[in-house]
Amino acid sequence: MAITKNYRTDQETILRFLDVLGGGLAVLSSNKNARPGFFIVAHVFIKEFIEENFFKKEALLITALEDSGFHLDDGPVASMLAEQVKSRDAAEHMLNAAKGWQAGDQDARAEVGWATSEVTSTLRQHLERLKSRVFPLLEQNISPEDEHKISEGLNTITFENSAKGDVDKYIKLIESLEDELSEWRR
């Protein structure tokens, strides 16, 4: 199915981000080198790349599944939507706790760890569900015309993001997080 190829680059970028965020979580739980700014910057990626870009692209898939008879209140569509909400809530909690920690609340450090763990596990589960359940369901249930509509929608979203100049911004953001993480590990 051609549309899965359109998601692959985003999925690989998100997995790279989750690896560095997980590394930050490991340092956070094992020593004092971790800093709250790392998690605040990580939230920028979550908010802009995942929530405002990737989840927007997923909405096209959800609509196609719904049009194929899958209900929003149960099954794979409901699971995807629930994971999106859980991810958003955990990311917001991570951000707020990191700001509290940055302001001197040492108890917030543990909250950052919990919320970061929720974000990483939820998003990994979400990406796995997309790959193992949603894409196969789409292949079995949508017409070539529906696949074409999804591809057009993806192209529109990609073009809008390119017009904003955001194409390399998120790779650079991940690289800066990787650099900070390597400093913590020294």
Side-chain angles (χ1 to χ4, degrees):
M1 174 181 266
I3 61 172
T4 59
K5 292 176 186 172
N6 287 313
Y7 287 88
R8 189 171 298 131
T9 300
D10 285 350
Q11 289 173 303
E12 289 169 357
T13 301
I14 292 169
L15 287 170
R16 181 177 174 189
F17 167 76
L18 292 175
D19 286 345
V20 75
L21 185 60
L25 175 60
V27 172
L28 175 67
S29 60
S30 67
N31 69 46
K32 299 280 185 201
N33 292 337
R35 300 287 175 252
F38 175 91
F39 299 94
I40 293 169
V41 170
H43 184 269
V44 171
F45 181 90
I46 295 167
K47 180 75 173 161
E48 294 179 10
F49 188 85
I50 296 173
E51 294 176 7
E52 295 175 1
N53 176 46
F54 190 71
F55 287 171
K56 186 176 181 181
K57 290 178 180 179
E58 280 186 347
L60 299 169
L61 303 179
I62 291 168
T63 299
L65 287 171
E66 187 180 19
D67 292 347
S68 295
F70 291 89
H71 300 284
L72 293 177
D73 54 352
D74 66 355
V77 175
S79 295
M80 284 182 64
L81 294 171
E83 287 163 354
Q84 287 179 356
V85 169
K86 185 177 179 182
S87 170
R88 280 186 184 101
D89 291 348
E92 195 65 27
H93 189 94
M94 180 186 79
L95 175 65
N96 292 332
K99 287 179 177 179
W101 176 22
Q102 191 173 50
D105 179 359
Q106 288 305 307
D107 292 335
R109 180 184 170 106
E111 289 293 314
V112 170
W114 174 84
T116 301
S117 177
E118 283 292 299
V119 168
T120 57
S121 65
T122 301
L123 286 172
R124 284 187 188 282
Q125 180 180 351
H126 187 77
L127 292 175
E128 182 57 33
R129 181 179 317 280
L130 191 63
K131 183 175 101 177
S132 66
R133 300 267 300 153
V134 173
F135 289 148
L137 284 173
L138 287 166
E139 286 180 19
Q140 295 167 8
N141 291 288
I142 65 170
S143 68
E145 295 80 24
D146 290 336
E147 186 174 350
H148 182 73
K149 279 197 302 191
I150 292 170
S151 292
E152 285 180 345
L154 290 171
N155 288 338
T156 300
I157 293 168
T158 300
F159 179 76
E160 289 170 358
N161 291 334
S162 296
K164 290 186 220 171
D166 291 344
V167 178
D168 293 324
K169 171 184 175 180
Y170 301 106
I171 297 299
K172 289 177 183 169
L173 191 146
I174 293 170
E175 289 170 349
S176 73
L177 292 172
E178 289 169 339
D179 291 344
E180 185 170 352
L181 184 58
S182 72
E183 290 292 320
W184 291 356
R185 291 180 171 162
R186 288 185 187 173

CSV table of all heavy atoms in Angstrom, one decimal, residues 148-170:
chain,number,residue,atom,x,y,z
A,148,HIS,N,-6.2,7.0,-2.8
A,148,HIS,CA,-5.8,8.2,-3.5
A,148,HIS,C,-6.2,9.5,-2.7
A,148,HIS,O,-5.4,10.4,-2.6
A,148,HIS,CB,-6.4,8.2,-4.9
A,148,HIS,CG,-6.0,9.4,-5.7
A,148,HIS,ND1,-4.8,9.5,-6.3
A,148,HIS,CD2,-6.7,10.5,-6.1
A,148,HIS,CE1,-4.7,10.7,-6.9
A,148,HIS,NE2,-5.9,11.3,-6.8
A,149,LYS,N,-7.4,9.5,-2.1
A,149,LYS,CA,-7.8,10.6,-1.3
A,149,LYS,C,-6.8,10.8,-0.1
A,149,LYS,O,-6.5,11.9,0.2
A,149,LYS,CB,-9.2,10.5,-0.8
A,149,LYS,CG,-10.3,10.9,-1.8
A,149,LYS,CD,-11.6,11.1,-1.2
A,149,LYS,CE,-12.1,9.9,-0.4
A,149,LYS,NZ,-13.5,10.0,0.0
A,150,ILE,N,-6.5,9.7,0.5
A,150,ILE,CA,-5.6,9.8,1.7
A,150,ILE,C,-4.2,10.3,1.2
A,150,ILE,O,-3.6,11.2,1.8
A,150,ILE,CB,-5.4,8.4,2.3
A,150,ILE,CG1,-6.7,8.0,3.0
A,150,ILE,CG2,-4.2,8.5,3.3
A,150,ILE,CD1,-6.7,6.6,3.5
A,151,SER,N,-3.7,9.8,0.1
A,151,SER,CA,-2.4,10.3,-0.5
A,151,SER,C,-2.5,11.8,-0.8
A,151,SER,O,-1.5,12.5,-0.5
A,151,SER,CB,-2.0,9.5,-1.7
A,151,SER,OG,-1.7,8.2,-1.4
A,152,GLU,N,-3.6,12.3,-1.4
A,152,GLU,CA,-3.7,13.7,-1.6
A,152,GLU,C,-3.7,14.5,-0.3
A,152,GLU,O,-3.1,15.6,-0.3
A,152,GLU,CB,-5.0,14.0,-2.4
A,152,GLU,CG,-4.9,13.6,-3.9
A,152,GLU,CD,-6.2,13.9,-4.6
A,152,GLU,OE1,-7.3,14.1,-4.0
A,152,GLU,OE2,-6.2,13.8,-5.8
A,153,GLY,N,-4.4,14.0,0.7
A,153,GLY,CA,-4.4,14.7,2.0
A,153,GLY,C,-3.0,14.7,2.6
A,153,GLY,O,-2.6,15.8,3.2
A,154,LEU,N,-2.3,13.6,2.5
A,154,LEU,CA,-0.9,13.6,3.0
A,154,LEU,C,0.0,14.6,2.3
A,154,LEU,O,0.8,15.3,2.9
A,154,LEU,CB,-0.4,12.2,2.9
A,154,LEU,CG,-1.0,11.1,3.8
A,154,LEU,CD1,-0.5,9.8,3.4
A,154,LEU,CD2,-0.6,11.4,5.3
A,155,ASN,N,-0.2,14.6,1.0
A,155,ASN,CA,0.6,15.6,0.2
A,155,ASN,C,0.3,17.0,0.6
A,155,ASN,O,1.2,17.9,0.7
A,155,ASN,CB,0.4,15.4,-1.3
A,155,ASN,CG,1.0,14.1,-1.8
A,155,ASN,OD1,1.9,13.6,-1.2
A,155,ASN,ND2,0.5,13.6,-2.9
A,156,THR,N,-1.0,17.3,0.9
A,156,THR,CA,-1.4,18.7,1.3
A,156,THR,C,-0.7,19.0,2.6
A,156,THR,O,-0.2,20.1,2.8
A,156,THR,CB,-2.9,18.8,1.4
A,156,THR,OG1,-3.4,18.5,0.1
A,156,THR,CG2,-3.3,20.2,1.8
A,157,ILE,N,-0.8,18.1,3.6
A,157,ILE,CA,-0.2,18.4,4.9
A,157,ILE,C,1.3,18.5,4.8
A,157,ILE,O,1.9,19.4,5.4
A,157,ILE,CB,-0.6,17.2,5.9
A,157,ILE,CG1,-2.1,17.2,6.2
A,157,ILE,CG2,0.2,17.3,7.2
A,157,ILE,CD1,-2.6,16.0,6.9
A,158,THR,N,1.9,17.7,4.0
A,158,THR,CA,3.4,17.8,3.8
A,158,THR,C,3.8,19.1,3.2
A,158,THR,O,4.7,19.7,3.6
A,158,THR,CB,3.9,16.6,3.0
A,158,THR,OG1,3.6,15.4,3.6
A,158,THR,CG2,5.4,16.6,2.7
A,159,PHE,N,3.0,19.5,2.2
A,159,PHE,CA,3.3,20.8,1.5
A,159,PHE,C,3.1,21.9,2.5
A,159,PHE,O,3.9,22.9,2.5
A,159,PHE,CB,2.3,21.0,0.3
A,159,PHE,CG,2.6,22.3,-0.4
A,159,PHE,CD1,3.7,22.5,-1.2
A,159,PHE,CD2,1.7,23.3,-0.2
A,159,PHE,CE1,3.9,23.7,-1.9
A,159,PHE,CE2,1.9,24.5,-0.9
A,159,PHE,CZ,3.0,24.7,-1.7
A,160,GLU,N,2.0,21.9,3.3
A,160,GLU,CA,1.8,23.0,4.3
A,160,GLU,C,3.0,23.1,5.2
A,160,GLU,O,3.5,24.2,5.6
A,160,GLU,CB,0.5,22.7,5.0
A,160,GLU,CG,-0.7,23.0,4.2
A,160,GLU,CD,-2.0,22.5,4.9
A,160,GLU,OE1,-1.9,21.9,6.0
A,160,GLU,OE2,-3.1,22.6,4.4
A,161,ASN,N,3.5,21.9,5.7
A,161,ASN,CA,4.6,21.9,6.6
A,161,ASN,C,5.9,22.4,5.9
A,161,ASN,O,6.7,23.1,6.5
A,161,ASN,CB,4.8,20.5,7.2
A,161,ASN,CG,3.7,20.1,8.2
A,161,ASN,OD1,3.1,21.0,8.7
A,161,ASN,ND2,3.5,18.9,8.3
A,162,SER,N,6.1,22.0,4.7
A,162,SER,CA,7.3,22.5,3.9
A,162,SER,C,7.2,24.0,3.7
A,162,SER,O,8.2,24.7,3.8
A,162,SER,CB,7.3,21.8,2.6
A,162,SER,OG,7.5,20.4,2.7
A,163,ALA,N,6.0,24.5,3.5
A,163,ALA,CA,5.9,26.0,3.3
A,163,ALA,C,6.2,26.7,4.5
A,163,ALA,O,6.7,27.9,4.5
A,163,ALA,CB,4.4,26.3,2.8
A,164,LYS,N,6.0,26.1,5.7
A,164,LYS,CA,6.4,26.8,7.0
A,164,LYS,C,7.9,26.7,7.2
A,164,LYS,O,8.4,27.3,8.2
A,164,LYS,CB,5.6,26.1,8.1
A,164,LYS,CG,4.2,26.3,8.2
A,164,LYS,CD,3.7,25.7,9.5
A,164,LYS,CE,2.4,24.9,9.3
A,164,LYS,NZ,2.0,24.2,10.5
A,165,GLY,N,8.6,25.9,6.4
A,165,GLY,CA,10.0,25.8,6.6
A,165,GLY,C,10.4,24.9,7.8
A,165,GLY,O,11.5,24.9,8.3
A,166,ASP,N,9.5,24.0,8.2
A,166,ASP,CA,9.7,23.1,9.3
A,166,ASP,C,10.4,21.8,9.0
A,166,ASP,O,10.6,21.0,9.9
A,166,ASP,CB,8.4,22.8,10.0
A,166,ASP,CG,7.8,24.1,10.7
A,166,ASP,OD1,8.6,25.0,10.9
A,166,ASP,OD2,6.6,24.0,11.0
A,167,VAL,N,10.7,21.6,7.8
A,167,VAL,CA,11.2,20.2,7.4
A,167,VAL,C,12.4,19.8,8.2
A,167,VAL,O,12.4,18.7,8.8
A,167,VAL,CB,11.5,20.2,5.9
A,167,VAL,CG1,12.0,18.9,5.4
A,167,VAL,CG2,10.3,20.6,5.1
A,168,ASP,N,13.4,20.6,8.3
A,168,ASP,CA,14.6,20.1,9.0
A,168,ASP,C,14.6,20.5,10.5
A,168,ASP,O,15.5,20.1,11.2
A,168,ASP,CB,15.9,20.7,8.3
A,168,ASP,CG,16.1,20.1,6.9
A,168,ASP,OD1,15.8,18.9,6.8
A,168,ASP,OD2,16.5,20.9,6.1
A,169,LYS,N,13.7,21.4,10.9
A,169,LYS,CA,13.7,21.9,12.3
A,169,LYS,C,13.7,20.8,13.3
A,169,LYS,O,14.4,20.8,14.3
A,169,LYS,CB,12.5,22.8,12.4
A,169,LYS,CG,12.2,23.2,13.8
A,169,LYS,CD,10.9,24.0,13.9
A,169,LYS,CE,10.5,24.3,15.3
A,169,LYS,NZ,9.3,25.1,15.4
A,170,TYR,N,12.9,19.7,13.0
A,170,TYR,CA,12.7,18.7,14.0
A,170,TYR,C,13.9,17.7,14.1
A,170,TYR,O,14.2,17.2,15.1
A,170,TYR,CB,11.4,18.0,13.7
A,170,TYR,CG,10.2,19.0,13.8
A,170,TYR,CD1,9.6,19.4,12.7
A,170,TYR,CD2,9.9,19.5,15.0
A,170,TYR,CE1,8.6,20.4,12.8
A,170,TYR,CE2,8.9,20.5,15.1
A,170,TYR,CZ,8.3,20.9,14.0
A,170,TYR,OH,7.3,21.9,14.1
